[in-house]
Amino acid sequence: MASLSTIMSVPTAPDSATALVDLARSGDAESLTALIALVQPRVYRWALGFTADADDADDVAQEAFVLMYRRLHQYSRQSSFDGWLYQITRRVANQRQRTGRRRARLAALDDARRELHAYLTDPGARIDRERLVAIIMAHLALLPPRQRELFDLVDLQGYTPAEVADLTGANPSTIRANLFKARATIRAALLEPLPVAAGA
Amino acid sequence: MSDCQIARAGLLLRDLAELDHDPAIAPHLATCASCAADVEAIRTATRATAELLGSHSPLGSPAALARTLLDDAVARRERRAGAWRRASLTLAAAAIAAWVLVASERAAPLRSAIGFPDPPYVTTMLLRCVDPGDATRVAQPYLRSRGSSAVPGPGVVPSVTLKGPRAEVAQAEIAIAKIDGQLGAVAPGACPR
């Protein structure tokens, strides 16, 4: 069986990104296009993790690129380009947080509970992926922002804790603690109605 | 704690890939169908969520986005240049207005109307018969403003230099001229030479 890490390949930050940065700074359109093409998928995926909405993620990603280009001259090679860009994306996403979002998440949780009930009462639906996804997404949305961010980066995007430390600037023990809490919440929600086997 | 409980505890916290290699859990998962199903359910759910989120892709093309960014940068530069131009023109206009206000003769009524001090006026009077020291003492009561002064001239040519607002200097000039006989009759005893 393939492990998660082989399913979710994490695009590493290639040296070419920093090389393109130098050319893009000078206003070279082709280099800027190449740089955006290189990092756009992961910026968008980061944004999706923050917003949990495809349209909002698009807006956040575009805004992040606008900020990236305006601040490109401030980027120093002392930090990784991915880490620098991740911080920009996170800042943009945080600025766009809206109060209505939490209400939508709570509504999604009710739907998920109904789905979970159907899942438990219908053995034939045991491998219903969509329902499992709905359960995870609903509980993911209710996690504190830091736990949600780390669960998304490690368990859903496939980053290693070391890579996450580089991206977020958090220390490894904080990452580990938050990741464990997030996993426990989400996995317990998935397994809660399933009692631990009595035997063994 | 039963093996199932140990497996459940591991399943709640650990990296799923690690469970298959954990000597405390892996053997149990190989024999307990229930726990193996739990692991598989979590694995399936996590993988499906990752795939779902990974299946979305951004709408904008990199080329179009790059063009937008470059256009935005040009527009920002032009806005900044425009702001500088406006600021420079405003500064130049303010400097000209200030110069007119401070130095122009025509602006004297305006200066006095707004209480803006006139630049000090300086003149030197040649004296026909009054002693420069006396002329200085005559002038002093008229030169009341701060910075105003009357200074007797040095050397063989008797003179006095007056400095102050134009109106005060004019009054001092008239007073000295009267005593010095420059306006007609000479004051009694004023001209010993």
Side-chain angles (χ1 to χ4, degrees), chain B residues 118 121 123 138-149 162-175:
Chain B
D118 267 325
Y121 176 72
T123 187
V138 167
Q140 271 168 352
Y142 300 98
L143 303 175
R144 297 178 302 274
S145 298
R146 192 173 175 188
S148 299
S149 62
L162 307 172
K163 179 184 163 194
R166 183 179 284 276
E168 292 180 13
V169 170
Q171 287 179 314
E173 274 185 302
I174 291 168

Side-chain angles (χ1 to χ4, degrees), chain A residues 91-130:
Chain A
R91 198 170 309 139
V92 171
N94 286 343
Q95 283 168 353
R96 289 178 59 94
Q97 287 289 339
R98 287 190 289 266
T99 51
R101 181 66 45 78
R102 181 165 172 78
R103 220 174 298 132
R105 283 177 183 151
L106 291 173
L109 182 63
D110 288 341
D111 291 345
R113 284 186 178 133
R114 278 195 291 278
E115 296 286 3
L116 183 59
H117 180 71
Y119 163 79
L120 292 169
T121 53
D122 176 12
R126 206 169 167 79
I127 55 167
D128 190 334
R129 289 155 53 99
E130 285 183 17

Side-chain angles (χ1 to χ4, degrees), chain A residues 7 58 129 183 187 194, chain B residues 8 11 13-14 51 59:
Chain A
I7 294 162
D58 240 336
R129 289 155 53 99
R183 278 178 182 161
R187 292 177 184 177
L194 303 175
Chain B
R8 173 66 71 97
L11 178 58
L13 301 179
R14 305 275 296 280
E51 286 175 355
L59 294 174

Side-chain angles (χ1 to χ4, degrees), chain A residues 45 49 52 105 134-145 147-149 151-152 156 182 185-186, chain B residues 49 53:
Chain A
R45 180 60 189 82
R105 283 177 183 151
I135 294 164
I136 288 194
M137 291 300 288
H139 284 88
L140 187 61
L142 288 175
L143 289 178
Q147 289 181 28
R148 184 169 66 241
E149 178 184 16
F151 181 85
D152 181 41
L156 300 181
T185 303
I186 289 180
Chain B
T49 307
L53 291 172

